[in-house]
Amino acid sequence: MPSFDLLPGASESPVILHVPHSAREIPAEVRAGIVLDDLALERELDHIVDAHTAELAERAAGLAGRPPWRFVNRLSRLVVDPERFPDEREEMLAVGMGAVYTRTTGREPLRAADTDPEPLIARYFRPYARAMTDAVAERLAAVGRAVVIDVHSYPSAPLPYELHGEGPRPPVCLGTDPFHTPPALVAAAREAFGEVGLDSPFSGTYVPLKFYGRDPRVSALMVEIRRDTYMTEPGGPAGPGLNRLAQALATLVDAVR
């Protein structure tokens, strides 16, 4: 099974819907390094997976007048988390959730504390980062800019691993970056989704490191959707809210001109 897919959109679209946390798949050789039993692992996946976000992005792409490109992670973030910094810059290292997690959402052991992250980073993290970098570069070459819209979800109640879980938990949280998130993109998201908040409980955006803080032609916005607005928590089926959110995401995509 490939660890990620780049799904083509319209040749003239600058938008890449990035879906990094939707999958539950863990290769057998990676599973062997996880200390949870099967039942506990399934419970952890229920909490940590951004369930149904790949379907959300797919539906939105189908509804958009100008289909976006989609970059979708096909492996669980318990393999590697492609959105973390792979070094000491990552604040989530404080709770054992850097690029390779050693702790669960409940701050219990996930892997041995002395796990060497490098083999997983080499096998999964760096190829993913290179491919996402190439995808952004291709949009820049084709249309002169790239707009990365990160598609996430988050639980209605804070989990112990959250470093900033005490703040507001709006139906849609928009994560922004002072360099890569222009006000017009935030305004378009507000118009598309309605009730939104900024940078709480999660903040920031994903931009490949080659462009991060360097290339203003790359714009980015994180869209964090509270799970109770579209699914049964934790890890349950999607409900009718998914269709409404897909239409809102498509409206945001089409607002990017």
Side-chain angles (χ1 to χ4, degrees):
M1 181 179 182
S3 62
F4 51 82
D5 284 323
L6 176 62
L7 303 164
S11 60
E12 69 275 16
S13 175
V15 179
I16 301 172
L17 296 182
H18 181 220
V19 188
H21 295 158
S22 65
R24 297 175 72 99
E25 181 72 20
I26 300 174
E29 65 273 16
V30 180
R31 170 68 179 96
I34 292 175
V35 301
L36 303 179
D37 63 31
D38 289 346
L39 181 60
L41 178 57
E42 288 302 308
R43 285 199 301 264
E44 178 63 12
L45 288 168
D46 286 344
H47 289 298
I48 198 68
V49 170
D50 292 352
H52 313 296
T53 50
E55 181 183 357
L56 172 62
E58 181 179 11
R59 291 191 190 187
L63 292 168
R66 185 171 63 177
W69 296 64
R70 287 178 288 141
F71 195 103
V72 183
N73 189 4
R74 299 302 185 188
L75 296 181
S76 167
R77 65 197 289 190
L78 298 185
V79 180
V80 296
D81 190 332
E83 294 212 312
R84 302 290 199 238
F85 287 111
D87 52 36
E88 67 282 349
R89 287 174 292 179
E90 180 51 61
E91 71 167 353
M92 295 302 290
L93 284 170
V95 290
M97 300 180 91
V100 175
Y101 296 178
T102 58
R103 293 275 167 172
T104 69
T105 52
R107 301 200 182 193
E108 299 298 325
L110 178 75
R111 292 181 171 92
D114 61 353
T115 296
D116 179 5
E118 179 55 32
L120 290 174
I121 288 174
R123 172 66 181 85
Y124 296 105
F125 184 97
R126 292 197 184 101
Y128 189 107
R130 285 194 296 268
M132 188 63 185
T133 299
D134 290 345
V136 170
E138 287 166 5
R139 291 299 85 212
L140 290 175
V143 297
R145 64 192 183 115
V147 181
V148 180
I149 299 177
D150 234 11
V151 184
H152 290 264
S153 70
Y154 75 99
S156 56
L159 293 170
Y161 83 95
E162 295 182 27
L163 294 178
H164 310 288
E166 70 284 353
R169 303 180 84 81
V172 176
C173 163
L174 303 177
T176 67
D177 178 87
F179 186 90
H180 290 285
T181 309
L185 186 56
V186 175
R190 286 188 183 277
E191 181 70 21
F193 287 102
E195 188 179 354
V196 304
L198 292 183
D199 294 315
S200 175
F202 299 99
S203 63
T205 64
Y206 175 77
V207 175
L209 290 177
K210 178 179 178 179
F211 308 104
Y212 183 66
R214 301 174 182 176
D215 195 332
R217 298 176 301 164
V218 181
S219 301
L221 180 72
M222 180 169 66
V223 177
E224 287 268 7
I225 300 163
R226 205 178 66 213
R227 292 176 190 153
D228 64 336
T229 65
Y230 75 92
M231 64 173 283
T232 301
E233 297 181 272
L242 194 69
N243 290 326
R244 176 183 56 81
L245 288 162
Q247 183 59 68
L249 184 56
T251 298
L252 172 58
V253 167
D254 283 338
V256 176
R257 296 296 178 186

